[in-house]
Amino acid sequence: MSNDLILRVVAKILIPFILLFALYVQFHGEYGPGGGFQAGVIAAAAVVLYALIYGLDSARKVAPDWLVETMVAAGVLLYALVGVAGIVFGGNYLDYFVLGTTPVDGQHRGIFWVEVGVGITVSGVMLKVFYMFADRQP
Amino acid sequence: MAIAVLVLARTRNLFSVVVLAGIYSFLMGAVLVALDAVDVAMTEASVGAGVSTVLLLSALALCRSREARPGERPWLPLAVAATTGAMLVYGTLGLPPFSDPDAPIHTHVVPRYLQDGPQEAGVPNIVAAVLASYRGYDTLGETTVVFTAGVGVIVLLRRLRRAKDTA
């Protein structure tokens, strides 16, 4: 598949837009449809497409294993730390009202960082599972 | 969708099974858009039709692409599935009619989310507000589930590979 000229060119054109769309879904999720989960999957799908067309090794150069494995854990940690931040600023666990100058501002910040955490973990897990499967010899 | 399911059940070629499952997911996403559940539709299209199709295809590359014939007629599983399905259909008879405004789900916490959500969370997408703020604990649990699933796959497949290396 990797020698097909049409696939290579089309993938090269499409991948930036897929990644941009993932970022849009991630950071615009509070205003339109979407959120961390969907954005994580879309971002992972971009790298999966790259791996399918250009081979697993080139994809590993873009998103190396250590990075993907760190992402798997970092997202959950970020989410949990947002909760701890609520305690530090004098509220309850996962209490966003205390995170900003006004309660609404705090809610915005809390939701934003929580969604970032979800996105990082989901995208890491999807990529890692794909790597593990694609890496095995029959 | 019904056609896709029937062909899925009949065919023994696993490649067409995977492709048909992807088509089914896309149709399901279209149904969810028609029901105004755009967030769920996006998830269904990207996970069900996109990533899981790729994962199944890469798993398919590791094994034979034809399903083996079962040794015996699966009458008992068929009976269990039919009974469970019949009970579920029977259960739906007790549900309130579709989009009934007096249904319990619309009178419990939903009015509060819809009325106070925009002021309290300041987020236009109520789904995001409920998911990340009102139900923040649940979403933390969900993210942990995704994390645990990923770690499980890593542990299983890595151990298999190491066993092969030493053998």
Side-chain angles (χ1 to χ4, degrees), chain A:
Chain A
M1 206 192 310
S2 53
N3 291 324
D4 194 321
L5 184 68
I6 298 174
L7 280 178
R8 289 178 83 101
V9 171
V10 170
K12 217 169 223 175
I13 296 172
L14 272 182
I15 284 172
F17 288 104
I18 298 177
L19 285 173
L20 192 64
F21 184 61
L23 289 175
Y24 167 78
V25 170
Q26 171 82 54
F27 296 121
H28 204 258
E30 298 141 67
Y31 303 98
F37 192 90
Q38 290 90 337
V41 175
I42 294 172
V47 183
V48 168
L49 177 66
Y50 187 74
L52 285 178
I53 309 282
Y54 291 89
L56 197 59
D57 294 330
S58 345
R60 278 230 163 93
K61 276 182 200 142
V62 179
D65 272 306
W66 63 265
L67 178 69
V68 175
E69 277 170 30
T70 315
M71 280 165 68
V72 171
V76 184
L77 275 178
L78 180 60
Y79 199 134
L81 281 179
V82 173
V84 175
I87 300 180
V88 170
F89 288 103
N92 293 322
Y93 188 70
L94 284 176
D95 185 353
Y96 307 146
F97 286 118
V98 292
L99 292 181
T101 44
T102 63
V104 171
D105 194 26
Q107 284 284 329
H108 266 293
R109 268 187 213 171
I111 293 176
F112 176 84
W113 285 110
V114 157
E115 294 276 18
V116 170
V118 174
I120 292 175
T121 288
V122 168
S123 139
V125 167
M126 294 288 167
L127 261 185
K128 187 67 199 169
V129 171
F130 173 72
Y131 278 177
M132 301 295 295
F133 268 101
D135 204 22
R136 300 191 61 202
Q137 311 297 327

Side-chain angles (χ1 to χ4, degrees), chain A residues 21 25 29-35 37-38 41-42 44-45 48 52 69 72-73 75-76 79-80 92-94 96-97 103-104 107-108 111 114-115 117-118 121-122 125-126 128-130 132-138, chain B residues 38-40 42-43 46-47 51 54-55 58-59 61-63 118-126 128-129 131-140 142-144 146-147 149-151 153-155 157-158 160-161 164:
Chain A
F21 184 61
V25 170
E30 298 141 67
Y31 303 98
F37 192 90
Q38 290 90 337
V41 175
I42 294 172
V48 168
L52 285 178
E69 277 170 30
V72 171
V76 184
Y79 199 134
N92 293 322
Y93 188 70
L94 284 176
Y96 307 146
F97 286 118
V104 171
Q107 284 284 329
H108 266 293
I111 293 176
V114 157
E115 294 276 18
V118 174
T121 288
V122 168
V125 167
M126 294 288 167
K128 187 67 199 169
V129 171
F130 173 72
M132 301 295 295
F133 268 101
D135 204 22
R136 300 191 61 202
Q137 311 297 327
Chain B
V38 195
D39 291 80
V40 193
M42 204 181 237
T43 314
S46 54
V47 179
V51 172
V54 170
L55 286 182
S58 54
L62 302 173
C63 60
Q119 286 90 46
E120 276 183 350
V123 168
N125 184 1
I126 300 290
L131 203 78
S133 181
Y134 291 111
R135 291 272 167 266
Y137 278 74
D138 299 3
T139 311
L140 176 60
E142 269 170 39
T143 317
T144 316
V146 173
F147 167 76
V151 170
V153 171
I154 294 172
V155 169
L157 290 185
R158 201 170 265 170
L160 281 177
R161 194 191 304 158
K164 203 187 286 173

